[in-house]
């Protein structure tokens, strides 16, 4: 009996390895320490939360309303409507949520590191202009939505808020997590509130300037960013008088291997159309799986270093003209290029081929 069993096992193992070889699957090593397993788990849960969290939240909310606890759904709904403006009034960050161990394991998975090049004065407000978006901006998430990379240690007395599209704050439950992580809406009203010197000191509004459009250009070792036509953030910085800080996440584009989608390809045209209608880029976050390294949506284990550059002072100007905006924009673009060129040597192994392409 046992003999038959071991024979069967052997055959199964053989078939399994044959199929793996055929499909080109590379299995993750089995003898890995517990901490690495927890890191993988943290990244796994996180990516599913990002991909399906909003749909799941809406589903759960509808289920709640149609359950015998419907009154809880109604109560939540009333509170939600009452609370709808919070995302453009400074949000509701919870230092406890931002300090969760989950984020530490998530950041150690890659690992994500936050680096400063100069000290920032905590009596001023700053607009962090972050590049590149990558597939899902993990560097910006780890650095500015959590305390796992040591934001509070690096910038004592300062607070950071990642900025995202206001639509995410209309999703029940999901919005509460986003708010707890300090995330705020990208409306002009919201930004001017965060950067108001009369209300706050040491506030940083961290914007991912390229947005969803830039995500379509996230391919390993490529750094294509959208900046030439992005001027709204310059205008807001001028209106508020907040200094502009270039922030660059080296390695951000190495985390996934999305399919090739050159301009005018069928895939690219489809993605652009969906983005035009929904504001969200349909992406194919192809990385690895839980137990193998060839297929799946789990990001690759590759280092991401988010470098905070030197602030560029901006003179407060409530009604900037187009020329004034263009001048600040041009100087900022130069500073971003300089940051990329001077820092890439330290954080990219392939720095000789790494080129910043600004469109
Ligand atoms: C955040 O977490 C770290 C490590 O777990 C802990 O040492 C620290 O006290 C926590 N900080 C706060 C404010 O809870
Ligand atoms: C942030 O993390 C550091 C450890 O890196 C901890 O000492 C500190 O208390 C944390 N701050 C907050 C506000 O959680």
């Amino acid at each position: 009996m046992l003999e038959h069993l071991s024979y069967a096992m052997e055959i199964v193992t053989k078939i399994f390895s044959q199929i793996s070889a055929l499909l080109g699957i590379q299995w993750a090593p089995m003898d890995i320490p517990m901490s690495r397993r927890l890191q993988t788990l943290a990244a796994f849960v996180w990516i599913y939360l990002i991909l399906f969290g909003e749909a799941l939240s809406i589903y759960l909310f509808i289920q709640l309303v149609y359950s015998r606890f419907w009154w809880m759904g109604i109560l939540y709904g009333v509170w939600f409507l009452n609370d709808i403006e919070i995302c453009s009034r400074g949000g509701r960050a919870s230092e406890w949520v931002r300090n969760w161990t989950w984020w530490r394991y998530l950041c150690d998975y890659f690992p994500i590191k936050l680096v400063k090049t100069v000290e920032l004065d905590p009596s001023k407000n700053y607009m962090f202009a972050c590049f590149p978006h990558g597939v899902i901006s993990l560097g910006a998430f780890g650095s500015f939505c959590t305390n796992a990379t040591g934001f509070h240690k690096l910038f004592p007395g300062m607070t950071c808020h990642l900025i995202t599209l206001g639509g995410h704050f209309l999703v029940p439950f999901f919005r509460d997590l986003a708010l707890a992580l300090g995330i705020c809406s990208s409306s002009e009203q919201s930004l001017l509130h965060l950067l108001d010197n009369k209300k706050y000191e040491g506030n940083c509004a961290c914007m991912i300037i390229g947005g969803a459009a830039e995500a379509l250009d996230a391919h390993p070792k490529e750094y294509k960013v959208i900046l030439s036509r992005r001027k709204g953030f310059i205008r807001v910085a001028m209106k508020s008088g907040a200094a502009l800080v270039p922030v660059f996440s080296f390695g951000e584009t190495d985390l996934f291997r999305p399919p090739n989608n050159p301009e005018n390809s069928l895939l690219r045209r489809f993605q652009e159309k969906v983005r035009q209608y929904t504001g969200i880029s349909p992406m194919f976050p192809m990385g690895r799986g839980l137990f193998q390294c060839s297929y799946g949506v789990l990001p690759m284990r590759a280092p991401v270093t988010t470098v905070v550059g030197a602030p560029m002072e901006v003179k407060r100007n409530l009604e900037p003209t187009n020329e004034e905006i263009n001048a600040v924009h041009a100087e900022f673009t130069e500073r971003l290029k300089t940051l990329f060129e001077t820092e890439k040597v330290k954080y990219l192994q392939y720095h000789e081929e790494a080129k910043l392409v600004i469109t």
Side-chain angles (χ1 to χ4, degrees):
M1 181 64 201
L2 260 177
E3 243 165 60
H4 288 200
L5 200 66
S6 78
Y7 185 60
M9 284 291 285
E10 205 172 294
I11 291 180
V12 168
T13 315
K14 268 204 184 126
I15 293 174
F16 203 60
S17 64
Q18 285 293 326
I19 293 175
S20 305
L22 207 66
L23 297 177
I25 298 179
Q26 194 196 346
W27 297 94
M30 292 297 280
D31 55 340
I32 44 176
M34 196 57 188
S35 60
R36 271 178 86 86
R37 285 183 193 276
L38 288 174
Q39 290 163 7
T40 309
L41 183 67
F44 180 81
V45 178
W46 188 83
I47 185 77
Y48 277 90
L49 179 74
I50 295 299
L51 292 177
F52 305 112
E54 292 185 284
L56 183 70
S57 299
I58 293 170
Y59 174 79
L60 285 178
F61 183 69
I62 293 171
Q63 285 292 318
L64 185 64
V65 171
Y66 285 97
S67 73
R68 73 199 156 88
F69 299 107
W70 56 271
W71 51 272
M72 282 168 82
I74 303 294
L75 277 182
Y76 181 86
V78 170
W79 180 73
F80 174 111
L81 290 177
N82 220 2
D83 192 51
I84 206 147
E85 297 248 294
I86 189 91
C87 62
S88 38
R89 298 224 176 116
R92 190 189 298 119
S94 153
E95 284 308 326
W96 174 68
V97 174
R98 289 169 51 94
N99 202 34
W100 277 354
T101 313
W102 179 6
W103 316 131
R104 261 174 252 281
Y105 279 106
L106 173 67
C107 290
D108 289 344
Y109 172 84
F110 299 96
I112 297 172
K113 291 211 169 74
L114 177 64
V115 172
K116 67 177 168 190
T117 54
V118 294
E119 299 293 334
L120 295 185
D121 176 357
S123 69
K124 292 184 179 161
N125 294 328
Y126 298 89
M127 182 184 280
F128 282 19
C130 311
F131 299 87
H133 182 286
V135 173
I136 35 181
S137 303
L138 266 147
F141 178 86
S143 300
F144 305 128
C145 290
T146 80
N147 184 30
T149 47
F151 182 86
H152 290 299
K153 244 190 201 150
L154 223 49
F155 300 109
M158 302 193 55
T159 321
C160 55
H161 297 274
L162 193 71
I163 302 299
T164 187
L165 293 181
H168 296 293
F169 298 98
L170 298 176
V171 180
F173 309 135
F174 191 84
R175 72 191 284 276
D176 297 295
L177 178 62
L179 287 166
L181 291 169
I183 304 177
C184 288
S185 154
S186 57
S187 66
E188 182 166 326
Q189 179 205 355
S190 163
L191 293 169
L192 289 176
H193 178 96
L194 284 174
L195 298 173
D196 188 342
N197 244 62
K198 291 193 198 80
K199 292 197 184 85
Y200 300 105
E201 282 188 349
N203 243 3
C204 308
C206 313
M207 300 186 70
I208 299 159
I209 306 298
E214 199 174 87
L216 297 180
D217 276 323
H219 293 285
K221 300 190 181 178
E222 287 180 19
Y223 293 91
K224 265 175 112 173
V225 304
I226 296 177
L227 176 57
S228 310
R229 59 175 195 261
R230 295 277 196 263
K231 304 219 167 132
F233 76 104
I234 303 273
R235 197 158 50 88
V236 172
M238 294 177 85
K239 277 190 176 180
S240 65
L244 274 166
V245 183
V247 177
F248 206 94
S249 291
F250 293 93
E252 180 74 53
T253 51
D254 299 335
L255 304 181
F256 295 94
R257 299 168 293 190
N260 228 354
N261 58 346
E263 299 285 338
N264 283 325
S265 62
L266 194 62
L267 175 60
R268 182 59 167 254
R269 278 182 297 178
F270 163 74
Q271 288 172 317
E272 296 281 5
K273 267 272 161 326
V274 176
R275 189 176 60 78
Q276 272 168 24
Y277 288 112
T278 65
I280 297 168
S281 292
M283 269 164 313
F284 303 92
M286 300 208 300
R288 50 168 288 195
L290 212 45
F291 302 109
Q292 42 76 24
C293 304
S294 304
Y295 301 101
V297 294
L298 194 61
M300 313 300 287
R301 264 186 201 266
V304 179
T305 312
T306 301
V307 181
V308 178
M312 165 182 158
E313 295 301 329
V314 175
K315 229 178 92 202
R316 189 146 188 260
N317 182 348
L318 281 180
E319 281 176 36
T321 63
N322 280 345
E323 275 127 51
E324 288 167 329
I325 291 177
N326 287 343
V328 175
H329 184 270
E331 190 188 341
F332 177 78
T333 306
E334 280 314 309
R335 287 183 176 239
L336 182 70
K337 281 185 197 160
T338 311
L339 179 72
F340 181 82
E341 294 303 329
T342 52
E343 302 293 322
K344 72 176 182 184
V345 191
K346 298 181 211 162
Y347 307 113
L348 295 178
Q349 282 182 341
Y350 51 87
H351 57 85
E352 276 164 15
E353 337 154 31
K355 288 200 177 56
L356 182 64
V357 180
I358 297 179
T359 52

